Amino acid sequence: MAGSETAFHLAESGLKVRLYEMRPAKMTDVHQSGNMGELVCSNSLKSELINTAQGLLKAEMQRMGSLILSCAEQARVPAGSALAVDRERFSKLVNATLENHPNIEIVRQEVTRIPLNEITIIATGPLTSGELFEDIKRLTGSENLYFYDAVAPSISMESLDTTKAFKASRYGKGTEDYYNCPMNKQEYERFYYELIDADIKEGHSIDKKEFFDGCMPVEVMARRGVETLRFGPMRPVGLLDPVNGKRPWAVVQLRQENREGTVWGLVGCQTRLKWAEQKRVFQLIPGLENADFVRFGVMHRNTFICSPQLLQPTLQLKSHPNLLFAGQITGVEGYMESAATGILAGVNAKRIVHGQEPLSMPPETILGALVQFITQADQNNFQPINANFGIVPPLSVKIKNKKERYNQYVSRSMDKMNDFSELFAAYVVK
């Protein structure tokens, strides 16, 4: 995501870009193609509502000519107030745009050493290959931080029992784009106890490691208590089972994953379970008794650097200002957060080429607040961060009403983006 945005921004600005991608010659544990922009976790790019942090971040990225947003719009699938995409169509669009750009040369080979005498953006994502990450460690002189990330399983639509699952969005927000599998108390508790007792996929010493809460395996989350899932990803609030007109005890939601609507993902069910255990446990959910699993959940290690120690707010490496980092490797968490830092890295790489001073984004913007957080957080307790209003500076006047407060955050951000609009005016997405 980040590397695609960076390359596109620089190329659209008239600069020649050499873009390295090791796939498909060398694959990761979770990628399935050689396409740029391949989504390996959820197919959701989160909310489009402007009065949410995710929606505001998209608005800021749109001002900066985001490639990812342009391709996502062409590959979108129904998801209520969220932006979700057909993952295969989306990655093909991103890949084709970059491959066909006259200013981009794509080199399909693994990079194992970072060139120190060139202007280089390192946007290798959470699945940085081993040799390159060792070189990053040597370059930065610091121990790498890491957390384990999990992917949720997906099922075929034809295997979903729609006599039990019903379509709705919580509180009727947006359109009825989610399938909901309701559980009564007995069904939920049976599922819960089978889940926490299930074997885990071998190959990781993950019980001793740290998880980012936003992608915590559902079985790890469940071990916090029997009610945790009911007040988390399986919360039943805002939903009524049309069979009996009552609120279920718990609900598992499914989100459409491709344009044709033939594949649906289990929302909030990221897992590290063995595949056989995934099938056994998730088929205990009403409506999924005969689920055909198109993709099982997998576990992989995500790597990120200690940005507060290593990076300037411009995303330049403190020890080598001609090197910039972007994307999830910096400690931002999420597709759009990663892509947004890629645009900023592209802006500053371009300025370095032209002998101009690199820029920091205003902290009143979501992107600016994210970059400020990852570069100024406590080095000893640094963890990945999503876009959220909790990291932006407080308003000059305190507003108790949350909706109005969020609206003011949006207004302030757009004002700041207007102040900086000339920085991106020469760059328009084709």
Side-chain angles (χ1 to χ4, degrees), residues 177-381:
D177 293 329
Y178 292 85
Y179 271 106
N180 300 271
C181 297
M183 289 185 277
N184 60 33
K185 184 177 181 181
Q186 182 181 3
E187 291 165 337
Y188 171 75
E189 290 184 351
R190 182 189 178 200
F191 166 80
Y192 170 81
Y193 287 111
E194 291 292 337
L195 177 67
I196 62 174
D197 289 338
D199 291 333
I200 64 171
K201 182 172 173 62
E202 297 177 357
H204 297 299
S205 301
I206 47 183
D207 281 325
K208 298 179 180 179
K209 308 302 181 184
E210 294 184 0
F211 299 96
F212 173 58
D213 281 347
C215 279
M216 179 174 291
V218 65
E219 63 273 11
V220 174
M221 190 186 309
R223 287 181 183 153
R224 294 179 172 181
V226 69
E227 297 291 280
T228 302
L229 299 181
R230 290 188 63 240
F231 287 88
M234 298 181 187
R235 63 191 185 279
V237 295
L239 293 168
L240 295 177
D241 187 343
V243 173
N244 55 29
K246 297 180 180 180
R247 187 173 79 176
W249 188 255
V251 165
V252 173
Q253 288 196 311
L254 288 86
R255 181 195 298 117
Q256 184 175 334
E257 294 214 343
N258 65 345
R259 177 165 289 185
E260 294 77 16
T262 57
V263 180
W264 291 72
L266 280 65
V267 177
C269 292
Q270 299 90 348
T271 181
R272 57 181 184 166
L273 295 178
K274 293 181 179 179
W275 289 3
E277 287 292 84
Q278 289 183 42
K279 183 175 182 179
R280 181 183 67 82
V281 173
F282 288 118
Q283 284 185 340
L284 295 174
I285 299 169
L288 301 184
E289 293 92 343
N290 298 305
D292 176 17
F293 288 83
V294 176
R295 181 185 64 188
F296 285 103
V298 294
M299 195 79 193
H300 56 274
R301 192 181 78 167
N302 281 356
T303 50
F304 61 98
I305 63 173
C306 187
S307 291
Q309 178 182 340
L310 301 173
L311 296 187
Q312 302 179 45
T314 55
L315 299 180
Q316 294 171 278
L317 191 63
K318 292 177 181 179
S319 60
H320 295 79
N322 61 312
L323 303 182
L324 299 93
F325 281 79
Q328 200 163 329
I329 196 171
T330 67
V332 296
E333 169 60 30
Y335 292 140
M336 303 312 292
E337 290 88 339
S338 297
T341 60
I343 301 176
L344 180 59
V347 169
N348 282 332
K350 177 179 65 177
R351 293 181 68 85
I352 294 171
V353 169
H354 294 304
Q356 299 172 320
E357 192 71 21
L359 298 167
S360 302
M361 288 290 294
E364 294 85 0
T365 63
I366 290 293
L367 177 53
L370 277 168
V371 174
Q372 179 174 276
F373 180 90
I374 65 171
T375 56
Q376 297 181 15
D378 181 358
Q379 296 180 16
N380 297 318
N381 298 290

Side-chain angles (χ1 to χ4, degrees), residues 154-165:
S154 302
I155 68 164
S156 67
M157 175 60 206
E158 64 182 5
S159 68
L160 177 66
D161 185 349
T162 55
T163 65
K164 297 179 180 179

